Amino acid sequence: MRRLTIISFALIIKSLLVSCSTNTVIIDIDNNPLLTTHTYFIKPAISGLDDYGGVAIGNARHTPCATDIIQQFSEASFGFPTIFVTKDGSNVVHTSSDIVIKFAKSVSCEPDTQWKVDNKDAQTGKQFLSIKGSTKEEHFFRIEKAQELPDDHSFKLLYCPAGECQSIGRFPDGAVERLALSNVAFPFKFQRAS
Protein backbone atom coordinates (compact mmCIF):
# COMPACT_ATOMS: atom_id res chain seq x y z
CA MET A 1 0.00 0.00 0.00
CA ARG A 2 2.82 2.39 0.90
CA ARG A 3 4.53 1.67 -2.44
CA LEU A 4 1.30 2.44 -4.31
CA THR A 5 1.01 5.77 -2.45
CA ILE A 6 4.59 6.72 -3.35
CA ILE A 7 4.04 5.83 -7.01
CA SER A 8 0.76 7.83 -7.06
CA PHE A 9 2.50 10.80 -5.47
CA ALA A 10 5.34 10.62 -8.01
CA LEU A 11 2.86 10.52 -10.91
CA ILE A 12 1.02 13.55 -9.55
CA ILE A 13 4.27 15.52 -9.21
CA LYS A 14 5.34 14.52 -12.73
CA SER A 15 2.01 15.61 -14.24
CA LEU A 16 2.26 18.96 -12.44
CA LEU A 17 5.77 19.51 -13.76
CA VAL A 18 4.71 18.65 -17.30
CA SER A 19 1.72 21.00 -17.16
CA CYS A 20 3.89 23.81 -15.78
CA SER A 21 6.50 23.33 -18.48
CA THR A 22 3.99 23.27 -21.34
CA ASN A 23 2.17 26.47 -20.36
CA THR A 24 5.04 28.89 -20.70
CA VAL A 25 4.71 32.65 -20.65
CA ILE A 26 4.53 34.30 -24.08
CA ILE A 27 7.18 36.99 -24.44
CA ASP A 28 7.38 40.00 -26.70
CA ILE A 29 10.42 41.04 -28.74
CA ASP A 30 11.82 42.87 -25.70
CA ASN A 31 11.67 39.68 -23.55
CA ASN A 32 8.75 40.97 -21.49
CA PRO A 33 5.69 38.83 -20.77
CA LEU A 34 2.62 39.39 -22.95
CA LEU A 35 0.12 41.12 -20.66
CA THR A 36 -3.61 41.70 -21.03
CA THR A 37 -3.10 45.25 -19.69
CA HIS A 38 -1.08 46.35 -22.76
CA THR A 39 -1.60 46.45 -26.51
CA TYR A 40 0.71 44.75 -29.03
CA PHE A 41 1.49 44.80 -32.71
CA ILE A 42 1.47 41.36 -34.34
CA LYS A 43 4.29 41.30 -36.91
CA PRO A 44 5.95 38.61 -39.05
CA ALA A 45 8.58 36.69 -37.08
CA ILE A 46 10.96 36.71 -40.03
CA SER A 47 11.67 40.28 -41.10
CA GLY A 48 12.61 40.93 -44.69
CA LEU A 49 10.94 37.69 -45.80
CA ASP A 50 8.43 39.28 -48.11
CA ASP A 51 8.29 42.94 -47.03
CA TYR A 52 4.87 42.53 -45.44
CA GLY A 53 4.10 44.31 -42.18
CA GLY A 54 1.85 43.89 -39.18
CA VAL A 55 -1.67 42.56 -38.85
CA ALA A 56 -4.52 45.05 -39.36
CA ILE A 57 -8.12 45.49 -40.46
CA GLY A 58 -8.42 45.74 -44.23
CA ASN A 59 -10.86 45.41 -47.09
CA ALA A 60 -10.01 42.43 -49.27
CA ARG A 61 -13.57 42.00 -50.50
CA HIS A 62 -14.05 45.62 -51.59
CA THR A 63 -17.17 46.00 -49.50
CA PRO A 64 -18.37 49.29 -47.98
CA CYS A 65 -16.97 48.24 -44.58
CA ALA A 66 -13.42 46.98 -43.92
CA THR A 67 -13.73 43.88 -41.71
CA ASP A 68 -11.04 41.51 -43.01
CA ILE A 69 -7.95 40.68 -40.96
CA ILE A 70 -4.98 41.21 -43.25
CA GLN A 71 -1.24 41.59 -43.17
CA GLN A 72 -0.22 45.10 -44.22
CA PHE A 73 1.88 45.62 -47.37
CA SER A 74 4.92 47.35 -45.94
CA GLU A 75 7.42 46.00 -43.41
CA ALA A 76 7.47 49.57 -42.03
CA SER A 77 3.76 49.25 -41.16
CA PHE A 78 3.34 47.84 -37.68
CA GLY A 79 -0.36 47.07 -38.14
CA PHE A 80 -3.12 47.81 -35.62
CA PRO A 81 -2.55 47.39 -31.87
CA THR A 82 -4.21 44.26 -30.49
CA ILE A 83 -5.50 43.29 -27.06
CA PHE A 84 -5.39 39.77 -25.63
CA VAL A 85 -8.06 38.66 -23.14
CA THR A 86 -7.47 35.37 -21.32
CA LYS A 87 -10.40 33.03 -20.71
CA ASP A 88 -9.16 32.30 -17.18
CA GLY A 89 -8.84 36.00 -16.28
CA SER A 90 -5.05 35.93 -15.89
CA ASN A 91 -3.14 39.13 -16.70
CA VAL A 92 -0.29 37.12 -18.26
CA VAL A 93 -0.77 35.24 -21.55
CA HIS A 94 0.57 31.66 -21.59
CA THR A 95 0.92 29.07 -24.33
CA SER A 96 -1.97 26.60 -24.59
CA SER A 97 -4.35 29.10 -22.94
CA ASP A 98 -7.62 30.12 -24.54
CA ILE A 99 -7.65 33.81 -25.44
CA VAL A 100 -9.84 36.30 -27.25
CA ILE A 101 -8.00 38.65 -29.62
CA LYS A 102 -9.33 42.15 -30.37
CA PHE A 103 -8.03 45.18 -32.16
CA ALA A 104 -7.61 48.15 -29.81
CA LYS A 105 -9.27 50.53 -32.26
CA SER A 106 -12.42 50.02 -34.27
CA VAL A 107 -13.53 51.04 -37.71
CA SER A 108 -16.56 53.31 -37.98
CA CYS A 109 -18.81 50.71 -39.59
CA GLU A 110 -17.93 47.84 -37.20
CA PRO A 111 -17.45 48.78 -33.54
CA ASP A 112 -16.75 45.19 -32.43
CA THR A 113 -13.11 44.34 -33.14
CA GLN A 114 -13.03 40.78 -31.77
CA TRP A 115 -11.34 38.31 -34.10
CA LYS A 116 -13.67 35.72 -35.59
CA VAL A 117 -13.49 32.99 -38.22
CA ASP A 118 -15.83 33.30 -41.20
CA ASN A 119 -17.71 30.47 -42.84
CA LYS A 120 -15.94 28.87 -45.80
CA ASP A 121 -15.47 31.22 -48.71
CA ALA A 122 -17.32 29.84 -51.74
CA GLN A 123 -14.58 30.80 -54.22
CA THR A 124 -11.45 29.76 -52.31
CA GLY A 125 -12.75 27.19 -49.83
CA LYS A 126 -10.81 29.05 -47.11
CA GLN A 127 -12.04 30.20 -43.74
CA PHE A 128 -10.77 33.75 -43.33
CA LEU A 129 -10.39 35.77 -40.15
CA SER A 130 -12.46 38.92 -39.80
CA ILE A 131 -14.08 41.15 -37.23
CA LYS A 132 -17.60 40.76 -38.61
CA GLY A 133 -20.15 38.29 -37.42
CA SER A 134 -21.61 37.16 -34.16
CA THR A 135 -19.79 36.93 -30.84
CA LYS A 136 -22.50 34.57 -29.52
CA GLU A 137 -20.33 31.58 -30.38
CA GLU A 138 -16.93 31.37 -28.76
CA HIS A 139 -13.97 32.38 -30.89
CA PHE A 140 -11.00 31.29 -28.82
CA PHE A 141 -7.45 31.41 -30.06
CA ARG A 142 -4.17 30.17 -28.64
CA ILE A 143 -0.56 31.18 -29.04
CA GLU A 144 2.08 28.45 -29.27
CA LYS A 145 5.83 28.54 -29.79
CA ALA A 146 6.86 28.29 -33.45
CA GLN A 147 9.15 25.29 -33.05
CA GLU A 148 10.60 25.64 -36.54
CA LEU A 149 12.29 28.92 -35.60
CA PRO A 150 15.15 28.93 -33.06
CA ASP A 151 14.52 32.23 -31.28
CA ASP A 152 12.31 32.76 -28.23
CA HIS A 153 10.16 35.45 -29.87
CA SER A 154 8.53 33.44 -32.68
CA PHE A 155 5.02 32.17 -32.14
CA LYS A 156 2.13 30.78 -34.13
CA LEU A 157 -1.54 31.60 -33.76
CA LEU A 158 -4.16 28.88 -33.56
CA TYR A 159 -7.96 28.95 -33.71
CA CYS A 160 -9.32 26.61 -31.04
CA PRO A 161 -13.10 26.23 -30.88
CA ALA A 162 -14.03 23.54 -28.35
CA GLY A 163 -10.38 22.58 -27.81
CA GLU A 164 -9.74 21.46 -31.40
CA CYS A 165 -7.04 23.72 -32.84
CA GLN A 166 -6.13 24.71 -36.38
CA SER A 167 -3.19 26.88 -37.42
CA ILE A 168 -3.57 30.38 -38.78
CA GLY A 169 -1.63 31.18 -41.92
CA ARG A 170 -1.74 33.68 -44.75
CA PHE A 171 -3.59 33.41 -48.01
CA PRO A 172 -3.14 35.73 -51.00
CA ASP A 173 -6.51 37.15 -51.98
CA GLY A 174 -6.04 39.51 -54.88
CA ALA A 175 -3.53 42.16 -53.83
CA VAL A 176 -3.99 41.39 -50.11
CA GLU A 177 -2.58 38.76 -47.75
CA ARG A 178 -5.47 37.65 -45.55
CA LEU A 179 -5.23 35.59 -42.38
CA ALA A 180 -7.02 32.26 -42.72
CA LEU A 181 -7.20 28.82 -41.19
CA SER A 182 -4.38 26.79 -42.68
CA ASN A 183 -2.41 23.56 -42.44
CA VAL A 184 0.75 25.69 -42.33
CA ALA A 185 1.13 28.24 -39.55
CA PHE A 186 2.72 31.58 -40.31
CA PRO A 187 5.12 32.65 -37.51
CA PHE A 188 4.51 35.96 -35.75
CA LYS A 189 6.16 38.03 -33.05
CA PHE A 190 4.68 40.55 -30.65
CA GLN A 191 5.85 44.13 -30.18
CA ARG A 192 4.42 46.22 -27.36
CA ALA A 193 2.40 49.20 -28.64
CA SER A 194 1.35 50.72 -25.30
Side-chain angles (χ1 to χ4, degrees):
M1 182 70 170
R2 180 178 160 104
R3 183 173 187 209
L4 184 59
T5 304
I6 292 171
I7 291 172
S8 297
F9 182 72
L11 289 174
I12 290 170
I13 295 296
K14 182 179 179 183
S15 69
L16 287 173
L17 289 174
V18 167
S19 68
C20 288
S21 67
T22 57
N23 289 341
T24 57
V25 173
I26 306 291
I27 58 172
D28 65 19
I29 61 171
D30 295 317
N31 290 322
N32 296 313
L34 213 63
L35 302 173
T36 60
T37 54
H38 296 293
T39 60
Y40 296 88
F41 296 112
I42 302 175
K43 299 171 66 177
I46 305 170
S47 61
L49 179 67
D50 55 12
D51 296 330
Y52 278 93
V55 174
I57 300 170
N59 196 349
R61 293 174 276 202
H62 309 292
T63 59
C65 182
T67 59
D68 303 312
I69 299 178
I70 65 162
Q71 188 177 7
Q72 290 191 313
F73 292 114
S74 169
E75 193 172 342
S77 299
F78 286 21
F80 289 10
T82 53
I83 301 167
F84 302 98
V85 180
T86 59
K87 183 179 178 180
D88 65 7
S90 170
N91 287 338
V92 179
V93 181
H94 293 83
T95 59
S96 303
S97 297
D98 288 338
I99 58 171
V100 170
I101 305 174
K102 300 178 179 187
F103 286 109
K105 66 178 188 177
S106 62
V107 290
S108 60
C109 58
E110 184 62 57
D112 179 19
T113 63
Q114 180 177 330
W115 289 24
K116 302 166 190 83
V117 175
D118 288 341
N119 295 325
K120 273 193 179 174
D121 182 76
Q123 291 179 333
T124 64
K126 293 285 185 187
Q127 286 186 269
F128 294 107
L129 275 64
S130 74
I131 59 168
K132 72 176 174 88
S134 171
T135 54
K136 289 181 182 175
E137 60 185 86
E138 295 181 333
H139 292 273
F140 287 116
F141 295 85
R142 291 184 186 168
I143 302 171
E144 299 291 348
K145 180 73 183 91
Q147 300 297 336
E148 58 277 0
L149 297 175
D151 67 67
D152 292 336
H153 307 111
S154 300
F155 297 93
K156 59 185 176 180
L157 298 171
L158 303 164
Y159 176 61
C160 300
E164 295 290 322
C165 295
Q166 187 167 359
S167 295
I168 295 173
R170 300 179 319 167
F171 183 79
D173 191 15
V176 177
E177 291 283 334
R178 293 176 69 184
L179 298 192
L181 299 186
S182 175
N183 292 328
V184 179
F186 185 79
F188 292 99
K189 62 185 175 184
F190 306 100
Q191 180 176 348
R192 186 170 158 184
S194 69

